[in-house]
């Protein structure tokens, strides 16, 4: 029996799905923050907050992959972590005004619970990523005590601490164990056995891919909710229904872009990748590439909220750019995901990015529904062209698909 067949088929539990629902509430609150002020400054802060938050979500996704919530103590701790994310979400709309400390304390709770749960599988080695994560949370908390550039700088410090955490975690345990043995061979073997890369490389492909796919589908669901928020209590006219269906069609096309081919292909790639290499593959695909995808959904939702109530009007530059820019961000993230995973083709999606961005100035000059129509048409044409290319290349095995 080969290695792929021997791997477990553990699937995402309902508690993990519940956890993801709470986390996506943070994305919803970021949409609220962005919709309140569609400016580049606010968009930058939204991106900063989400990058910091998503780091810890990714940490929990690794956690439950290796420490399943299959006993009461683990479930209770995971629920406590959910509470921490809920505190963060509730504080987001005024995080740079008067709720920054509350946000930071909620985030610190998220970190402490994560580290405590990880000791169940990694023991004392958990300190090598628990401490940097805690320092990042303390930096965010301190940012709530100051204003302006000082606050932004402390948020940036938290981001830097998170980005160096994997390197600290990979090499810290190796150094500790190397002092217990002598000889070059013993040093090399002990260091390799103790590194974070090897520990996390043993992740379950089916569970890991499904967990992130469910996160993405919940986030897309939140963009559907924004359709109702954008319409509000306006009279349900045929034109308004048409705009709502166009917004839904745009969300459906984004769903098609990832879920029809990417998710299944990603699981196959994970299974074919040796365990020590999965750690870096998972980081690149499901953290770095997923960031623009999820931020794109948040931007799209903000654009829909500001657009759907004014379908026959010429939208301002902010809503038009949020809508088109959100779709473009999602496509860029998906292109990065496909490149990391070695999934082909990608050229159609790369070509669609500047075309979608060009829809923004069009949206300013034409009624809002025109931007929705063109965006849906561009993505539909992209998928149709890609489907034809895949059908053609499948008939020619020797062809190289790009």
């Amino acid at each position: 029996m080969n290695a792929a067949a021997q791997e477990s088929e553990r699937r995402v539990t309902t508690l993990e799905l519940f956890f993801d629902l709470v986390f996506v509430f943070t994305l919803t609150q970021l949409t609220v923050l962005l919709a309140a002020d569609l400016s580049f400054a606010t968009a930058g802060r939204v991106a900063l907050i989400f990058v910091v938050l998503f780091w810890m979500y990714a940490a929990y996704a690794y956690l439950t992959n290796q420490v399943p919530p299959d006993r009461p103590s683990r479930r209770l701790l995971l629920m406590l972590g959910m509470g921490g994310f809920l505190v963060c979400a509730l504080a987001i709309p005024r995080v740079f005004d008067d709720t920054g400390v509350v946000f930071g304390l909620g985030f610190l709770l998220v970190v402490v619970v994560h580290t405590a749960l990880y000791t169940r599988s990694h023991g004392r080695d958990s300190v090598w990523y628990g401490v940097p994560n805690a320092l990042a949370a303390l930096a965010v908390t301190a940012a709530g005590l100051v204003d302006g550039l000082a606050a932004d700088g402390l948020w940036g410090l938290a981001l830097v601490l998170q980005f160096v955490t994997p390197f600290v975690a990979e090499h810290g345990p190796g150094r500790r164990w190397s002092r217990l043995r002598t000889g070059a061979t013993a040093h090399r073997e002990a260091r390799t056995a103790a590194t974070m890369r090897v520990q996390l490389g043993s992740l379950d492909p089916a569970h890991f891919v499904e967990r992130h796919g469910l996160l993405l589908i919940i986030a897309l669901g939140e963009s559907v909710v924004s359709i109702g928020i954008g319409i509000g209590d306006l009279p349900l006219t045929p034109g308004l229904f048409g705009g709502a269906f166009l917004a839904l069609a745009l969300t459906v096309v984004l769903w098609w872009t990832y879920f029809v081919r990417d998710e299944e292909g990603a699981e196959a790639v994970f299974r074919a990748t040796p365990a020590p290499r999965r750690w870096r593959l998972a980081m690149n695909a499901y953290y770095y590439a997923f960031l623009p995808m999820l931020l794109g959904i948040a931007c799209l939702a903000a654009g829909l909220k500001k657009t759907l109530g004014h379908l026959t009007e010429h939208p301002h530059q902010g809503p038009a750019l949020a809508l088109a820019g959100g779709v473009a961000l999602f496509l860029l993230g998906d292109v990065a995901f496909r490149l990391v995973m070695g999934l082909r083709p990608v050229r159609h999606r790369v070509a669609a990015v500047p075309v979608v961005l060009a829809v923004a100035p069009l949206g300013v000059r034409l009624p809002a529904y025109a931007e929705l129509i063109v965006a849906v048409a561009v993505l539909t044409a992209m998928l149709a062209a890609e489907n034809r290319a895949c059908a053609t290349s499948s008939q020619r095995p020797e062809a190289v698909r790009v």
Side-chain angles (χ1 to χ4, degrees):
M1 184 180 294
N2 57 34
Q6 292 176 343
E7 293 204 82
S8 67
E9 292 290 342
R10 186 169 63 85
R11 294 295 177 177
V12 177
T13 65
T14 54
L15 180 57
E16 291 170 282
L17 182 58
F18 194 8
F19 184 97
D20 292 353
L21 285 167
V22 175
F23 172 74
V24 170
F25 182 45
T26 66
L27 192 62
T28 302
Q29 292 289 78
L30 287 172
T31 299
V32 171
L33 180 61
L34 180 59
D37 178 24
L38 282 172
S39 65
F40 285 108
T42 302
R45 283 185 162 182
V46 164
L48 186 61
I49 295 169
F50 184 69
V51 171
V52 170
L53 282 173
F54 190 59
W55 170 259
M56 283 312 302
Y57 171 81
Y60 271 87
Y62 280 116
L63 167 69
T64 55
N65 189 275
Q66 298 191 324
V67 186
D70 54 4
R71 59 198 67 176
S73 60
R74 295 180 181 181
R75 293 182 186 126
L76 289 172
L77 281 172
L78 194 59
M79 291 175 186
L80 190 59
M82 290 166 56
F85 271 121
L86 180 63
V87 171
C88 293
L90 292 172
I92 281 174
R94 302 195 314 276
V95 69
F96 287 100
D97 296 325
D98 58 1
T99 60
V101 174
V102 174
F103 179 98
L105 292 176
F107 193 63
L108 183 60
L109 176 60
V110 168
V111 171
V112 170
V113 170
H114 174 266
T115 305
L117 275 169
Y118 239 138
T119 60
R120 305 297 177 90
S121 63
H122 295 163
R124 294 180 180 179
D125 285 344
S126 302
V127 70
W128 293 100
Y129 44 88
V131 170
N133 284 337
L135 290 175
L138 290 174
V140 169
T141 306
L145 301 173
V146 295
D147 300 315
L149 291 177
D152 292 338
L154 285 167
W155 276 91
L157 174 61
L159 191 62
V160 171
L161 286 167
Q162 288 180 339
F163 276 119
V164 302
T165 296
F167 301 99
V168 174
E170 282 182 288
H171 301 296
R175 286 196 298 269
R176 177 169 65 86
W177 284 108
S178 66
R179 291 194 295 267
L180 302 180
R181 299 181 64 179
T182 59
T185 301
H187 170 80
R188 183 168 56 252
E189 292 176 352
R191 183 179 179 127
T192 301
T195 59
M196 184 75 160
R197 180 176 298 179
V198 173
Q199 290 173 329
L200 292 181
S202 61
L203 60 85
D204 183 308
H207 175 275
F208 194 76
V209 172
E210 184 185 24
R211 180 74 186 272
H212 288 84
L214 288 172
L215 173 69
L216 195 60
I217 199 69
I218 296 170
L220 287 170
E222 289 298 315
S223 70
V224 175
V225 172
S226 69
I227 297 174
I229 296 175
I231 291 174
D233 56 359
L234 293 173
L236 296 178
T237 63
L240 197 60
F241 275 118
F245 278 117
L246 282 171
L248 178 61
L250 185 56
T251 305
V252 168
V253 176
L254 291 181
W255 169 86
W256 196 296
T257 300
Y258 176 82
F259 284 97
V260 168
R261 288 195 181 95
D262 290 13
E263 188 176 42
E264 183 178 349
E267 184 174 338
V269 171
F270 260 118
R271 292 192 182 283
T273 302
R277 292 174 51 198
R278 286 181 185 170
W279 151 242
R280 186 56 57 188
L281 183 67
M283 280 286 295
N284 291 337
Y286 287 100
Y287 179 69
Y288 296 115
F290 255 55
L291 277 171
M293 293 172 73
L294 291 166
L295 280 171
I297 293 173
C299 290
L300 172 62
L304 290 175
K305 285 182 180 180
K306 291 293 188 179
T307 299
L308 287 177
H310 311 278
L311 285 169
T312 59
E313 302 174 15
H314 291 208
H316 296 295
Q317 184 177 1
L321 186 58
L323 198 154
V327 175
L329 265 178
F330 184 93
L331 285 179
L332 279 173
D334 188 63
V335 166
F337 179 86
R338 284 193 148 219
L339 289 174
V340 168
M341 284 294 184
L343 303 177
R344 298 294 186 268
V346 295
R347 64 181 185 275
H348 305 90
R349 303 185 185 205
V350 171
V353 171
V355 179
V356 169
L357 282 175
V359 173
L362 176 67
V364 175
R365 293 176 174 81
L366 295 175
Y369 64 79
E371 183 177 14
L372 287 169
I373 291 174
V374 175
V376 171
V378 169
L379 293 183
T380 302
M382 174 197 78
L383 291 173
E386 182 177 282
N387 187 62
R388 286 195 298 270
C390 290
T392 301
S393 61
S394 66
Q395 296 171 4
R396 294 179 299 164
E398 73 282 359
V400 177
R401 291 178 285 175
V402 179

